[in-house]
Amino acid sequence: MIEKFLESYVKKIVAYPEQVAVESRLLKDENMKLLDVFVGVQDMGRVIGKEGKMIAALKTFVSGCKAKDGLTYKITVHPNNE
């Protein structure tokens, strides 16, 4: 569910939404879900934002889901090399 939200939101802020993909991995021993966001190289700056403010806002929003499911989330942005 978080993955779908993150993917749809990121697609709205990038210039090339067809290059956006979100993958998740669950680390059960650490009770953590890793969210990897793949975007086009030209859109990396849009997703990260000035001084990292955009990605920080996304991380803050997603961390609010911890209260609901008890998982900790970690978001990383990667260039999509398709």
Side-chain angles (χ1 to χ4, degrees):
M1 184 166 155
I2 297 299
E3 297 87 348
K4 292 287 184 192
F5 163 77
L6 195 57
E7 184 175 351
S8 67
Y9 188 82
V10 170
K11 281 183 176 184
K12 292 177 192 234
I13 62 173
V14 297
Y16 300 95
E18 66 278 357
Q19 295 181 355
V20 174
V22 176
E23 297 177 5
S24 65
R25 295 175 283 155
L26 181 63
L27 302 177
K28 290 187 178 186
D29 55 327
E30 296 180 30
N31 204 29
M32 178 183 289
K33 187 174 262 193
L34 302 176
L35 300 169
D36 295 312
V37 179
F38 295 92
V39 298
V41 175
Q42 63 280 11
D43 286 324
M44 292 283 292
R46 288 180 187 252
V47 176
I48 295 169
K50 278 189 178 180
E51 299 176 9
K53 289 182 180 180
M54 179 60 76
I55 194 66
L58 286 170
K59 288 178 179 182
T60 300
F61 182 84
V62 170
S63 69
C65 297
K66 182 176 183 176
K68 186 171 185 179
D69 60 17
L71 292 174
T72 300
Y73 292 93
K74 181 177 180 185
I75 302 174
T76 54
V77 180
H78 305 279
N80 192 345
N81 297 322
E82 287 186 347

